[in-house]
Amino acid sequence: MPEVEIGIGKSARLAYGLDDVAIVPSRRTRDPEDVDLSWEIDAFRFDLPIVASPMDGVVSPATAVKLGELGAVGVLNLEGVWARYEDPEPLLGEIASLPADRVGARLRQIYAEPVKSELIRDRIREIRRSGVVAAGSVSPHRVEELVETVTRAELDLLVIQGSVVSAEHVTKGNPEPLNLKTFVRRLDVPVLVGGCSSYQAALHLMRTGAAGILVGVGAGRSSSTRRVLGVGTPLATAIADARAARMRHLDETGAYVHLIADGGFRTGGDIAKAIVCGADAVMVGSALAAAHEAPGRGSHGGMAAAHAELPRGARIDVGSRASLERILYGPADDDSGELNLAGALRRAMALCGHASLKELQKAEVVVLPSQDGRR
Amino acid sequence: MPEVEIGIGKSARLAYGLDDVAIVPSRRTRDPEDVDLSWEIDAFRFDLPIVASPMDGVVSPATAVKLGELGAVGVLNLEGVWARYEDPEPLLGEIASLPADRVGARLRQIYAEPVKSELIRDRIREIRRSGVVAAGSVSPHRVEELVETVTRAELDLLVIQGSVVSAEHVTKGNPEPLNLKTFVRRLDVPVLVGGCSSYQAALHLMRTGAAGILVGVGAGRSSSTRRVLGVGTPLATAIADARAARMRHLDETGAYVHLIADGGFRTGGDIAKAIVCGADAVMVGSALAAAHEAPGRGSHGGMAAAHAELPRGARIDVGSRASLERILYGPADDDSGELNLAGALRRAMALCGHASLKELQKAEVVVLPSQDGRR
Amino acid sequence: MPEVEIGIGKSARLAYGLDDVAIVPSRRTRDPEDVDLSWEIDAFRFDLPIVASPMDGVVSPATAVKLGELGAVGVLNLEGVWARYEDPEPLLGEIASLPADRVGARLRQIYAEPVKSELIRDRIREIRRSGVVAAGSVSPHRVEELVETVTRAELDLLVIQGSVVSAEHVTKGNPEPLNLKTFVRRLDVPVLVGGCSSYQAALHLMRTGAAGILVGVGAGRSSSTRRVLGVGTPLATAIADARAARMRHLDETGAYVHLIADGGFRTGGDIAKAIVCGADAVMVGSALAAAHEAPGRGSHGGMAAAHAELPRGARIDVGSRASLERILYGPADDDSGELNLAGALRRAMALCGHASLKELQKAEVVVLPSQDGRR
Amino acid sequence: MPEVEIGIGKSARLAYGLDDVAIVPSRRTRDPEDVDLSWEIDAFRFDLPIVASPMDGVVSPATAVKLGELGAVGVLNLEGVWARYEDPEPLLGEIASLPADRVGARLRQIYAEPVKSELIRDRIREIRRSGVVAAGSVSPHRVEELVETVTRAELDLLVIQGSVVSAEHVTKGNPEPLNLKTFVRRLDVPVLVGGCSSYQAALHLMRTGAAGILVGVGAGRSSSTRRVLGVGTPLATAIADARAARMRHLDETGAYVHLIADGGFRTGGDIAKAIVCGADAVMVGSALAAAHEAPGRGSHGGMAAAHAELPRGARIDVGSRASLERILYGPADDDSGELNLAGALRRAMALCGHASLKELQKAEVVVLPSQDGRR
């Protein structure tokens, strides 16, 4: 591990973000049509390595179905507006149209409404009925309370997500904290858990028996964790470290734990770079919030923006650009890279000679030392 | 120490600023309520590791009291307007409302009024009467003249502060220069002295018998020392070097000298990063000048901006954002990180698994090699 | 090769762009008049190491002739508008005047018209008739279909160009993919082929028997390959790696393969830096699109901007600055560096003491670690 | 020398600019009054290490006198307007008021007027009569023609300056090129010669017998050599390399050759940093062009901007800020650092504990790896 001494006796590793790296073409090229973008986790197979972020502006029951039909998977926030209100559509419309300085206060009111088990159950069933994989997220401190509801509703994939989630949460209070190490193994449903951003943290989350872990702390576009808290490892390094933990865990247990990189993906190129660093799939928020079908109507932020005492995120206006299908599969009509994510990933793999995501994970990257070096 | 050769035979160390680093979560997390933010220096214990900067726009006797009640400590500038005028409020109002190009000249007039011992005495007593720790600052070249006044007034904590303060000031003139090595030991009051920004300078300041040293040269938001003079070490490296000096001094003498990092703190994340680098507390200026109670009424600058021949600082308009209490303890209503400094520090520590400031000092940091790597 | 570990067990090389480097003067200087800018490839000798990019906005049959007369060489895009329309001038005028958001769709319509063998033949003959070297480009997937036409028309120099071209294109489909290793050797016409951006890719392209290879992936000003696909090596490193491949190939075969650097050249200084890195000549697009004679009338983009599903480039408005002669030979009337490319290259060589391009290839460069270091 | 491989087998040194470094305070401080800013070259002693650049907008005979009286030295351009016109004042006024796009052409007309020996003679005498050191510059290719005139007029200090000047100019033409190695030794007048920017180039210039060399290629604010030609080493590295050459030359010959750093100095801090890197004095252009007395009337550019075929510089509007005396000695009324250059240098030295320029040359610097690290 390359380290520098930031002062006498205090060392620090150099950590890189996705914008610091670029993929090097190999000596082969391929036809884009020959490239396979699929991945599998537990019993599920997906055509695209794209997981839609459990944010109220991104995933509704309807978009979860649509995303599933398109080969991706949408994770419904099981503590969000769909779990609190019978019909949250008017509220989502209201948030999107509020002036920026009044959003925070209104969000706090909206999220004051209690979560309701029946609504969670109904939302999960609505997604399942359509035949796609039903995935939903809960926060670590409510997962014990809600787990019975979600398993009864036959959720397919459970996401336990917080800014930072560790396998060893320490508390002086009562009740006992959630012990992920025993909790995850007790469940029948495969679990994705995170975020995390170090080798040790990733390794211990893997040891809980999770099927996948979310890698990335504070890297999303709508997040300001890095600025407000000073906490977070840039994503390229976080993913590569988690990949090393995955190799050790695989060696120790024979179990391959999937890495879902989470944070600020805009283009297919961003996704390709995350996979080269070691990710199996990526969690996408803002880029999908720009879909015509997105419940946020062109804006989104999520619950961190509604934190009562220390918001770490804001409503971001992403506009309403194109259908979900076009964001994923094109055609694009400009060169922003924000449309046709799958096509760009496919073409990047073809140009670099990689036929599958597992091959792409072994591709070579370069680090670009300066802004101008990008030319 | 990592060095580069900037030219044949001329080496230089690499030096890092707080914006160059980020904190890595450990494999544990904690409950925010279990985190302890307190620190102690000499006989005093503070709930928060925040020392308000001795600038006329930040600390008045009234805000010193308020800050003390809130668990922080405000240092009154004992050569500032409160030591020169019976009622400086109209002057502070005038400065805040002057056009930028006329501030410098007016400040020079205002600071031409002599410092008055009776006023210093009265201000200190006013703060003491309220029951909080009374802290005041003087510059190195006036400390001998004012020391009797301040000790008689029973000041609790004396800050001796200049752009750069060394334990070995050399002069050809008369009278003899202040010899901090003998001077500090003669005093009954605990002393904080600085700024400094190297291992050797810090070590020698520690050897004067100071209770704490101020670390940082020209790093504040209202300072332009780096541009005008070319002098200064970025703060992460300066703190880490001073931490190494503290360890050596502790080993040699058994005395733990506190490090107060000084320079441009905006968010709780900035504070957390300074503590990870080795600081015990931080000196905050601009961020507190934005308090409703701040004497500067939304603008501040301090005496360096009034230097007659070479101003190194300017009036900065920071606005009037929130009460002191809300700046320190929230709630925040946006994600700027500028409100709820204590809450952000507490949460950063909880997410990273650290229960006390001493634990946080041992946390891991990463260096982010480029702007874009911050994503 | 200097490597960093971006995460545990995942290494990456540092890669530099042309803006990251600067040329160091040697201990000698020369007269600009004594500097020789010529280079040779196959049987052809050119006064200037400048190859105009096969883009419809840059090279028409008329500008190819003009460029040849001026000592450079213009490569006509044999799948562009000149190969599809008897008179494309009105279309070029229309594109230049369309609002930006309608260019993409219109380009797709325009390029839907089939390529016509007779037109290709006539364009090549028109250029040959004038006595200059006739160079034309085709894409890898159409080269087999068009090769008979272009050889019959006695093209002098064939450019086979794509975003990334490899010597080992893999396909599952029918028909068999183009095998450059056998194809290039079968041709009588010397071939330039690329782009490529690694040692291995360059080496294998050299082994096809090509006279020259194009080095650079996604580095041009009108390209967005890096953003959209995440793929590409910065140019200084790409050229230097290809130079190492050239040395090995020369050692193995005795054949010197020329390197044509491709990507974003603006000034004679950019060209000089590419040659110091190892290039024999450079391919210039945008800088020549600004010629009064340029067919794009001050705007250009090329066919990547017209890709139906994933455009990777946009129309760039470069203005109409000066005649081709003045862009190449001056006089310049400002210090932008965009006029008098040959004069600047000549003067850079003179100041640094190099009499020929081969000497310049051995010059010393420095890497500038930061933006500000550029001062 | 720290090197990186920019590509396989192609190495490059890292080179730093003045903005990349900052001075580290030592463990001592001093009184500003005790600091000595003087330096000596040949028989001359100057109060300030500031040499005004031989540009028509900066130095006239009158400002040369004024600068000398203030302790600095002004170098008159002996091929500039004062050597071509009896009364150039109206021309300087005209240039200052022309619109930017017409300056180049008009400058070319103005400099078409021949240089006149009598004018050179009269200007030198006018400066000498006032009792200050008379310094004047000529370009390498005219120095032989003009040398008799300038020595007869008893010039005190001859500056031979070009973009890059080497001790080994190679030419195929007639007449024989200037051989600095024999030429400089033949002269009675001490010579400053440059620019140069490498160890070898500096060493060979020192071996000509020059009293001082100018270090820096294309670093000035009004220069665009780096952009247009791609040539130049950043100043901190160029100075430090030349300092190593000075040490070797001193060891070999016993002669101490002075280094005059040239390029873009704005503040006393910039000057202090150049001296820490090894300079004995600095050449200042733009910063002095802003004097009320400056002949350029708030704008300047020099002859490179008037180059007929490849201008490498432009007229820069620097405004008319203050008297020469105030630029050099203050008082400053803002914190831009552009006024009171001597005061800032003096104070930087005092804060860092250095009593003389020779002591300052040994000070410690740090390298700031990133933009943000500057905080």
Side-chain angles (χ1 to χ4, degrees), chain D residues 248-269:
Chain D
R248 172 162 168 196
H249 187 70
L250 180 63
D251 188 53
E252 288 177 357
T253 66
Y256 184 95
V257 180
H258 291 78
L259 304 182
I260 319 300
D262 180 17
F265 292 96
R266 279 171 194 267
T267 70

Side-chain angles (χ1 to χ4, degrees), chain A residues 213-286:
Chain A
I213 65 171
L214 305 175
V215 180
V217 170
R221 264 194 278 170
S222 64
S223 167
S224 43
T225 296
R226 189 90 57 87
R227 179 172 72 236
V228 176
L229 303 186
V231 173
T233 312
L235 209 49
T237 292
I239 298 168
D241 281 359
R243 169 186 160 279
R246 181 177 64 199
M247 286 165 67
R248 173 162 167 197
H249 186 72
L250 181 63
D251 188 53
E252 288 177 357
T253 66
Y256 183 94
V257 181
H258 291 78
L259 304 182
I260 319 300
D262 181 16
F265 292 95
R266 279 171 194 268
T267 69
D270 288 344
I271 298 172
K273 291 194 275 185
I275 290 169
V276 174
C277 290
D280 296 288
V282 302
M283 186 166 266
V284 176
S286 307

Side-chain angles (χ1 to χ4, degrees), chain A residues 121-138:
Chain A
R121 189 197 54 205
D122 293 349
R123 303 309 185 195
I124 294 172
R125 290 191 177 157
E126 179 182 347
I127 299 170
R128 280 185 62 82
R129 259 199 308 275
S130 76
V132 307
V133 174
S137 82
V138 290

Side-chain angles (χ1 to χ4, degrees), chain A residues 5 7-11, chain B residues 1 240-241 243-244:
Chain A
E5 220 178 20
I8 299 166
K10 180 82 183 177
S11 292
Chain B
M1 292 184 290
D241 281 0
R243 169 185 159 279

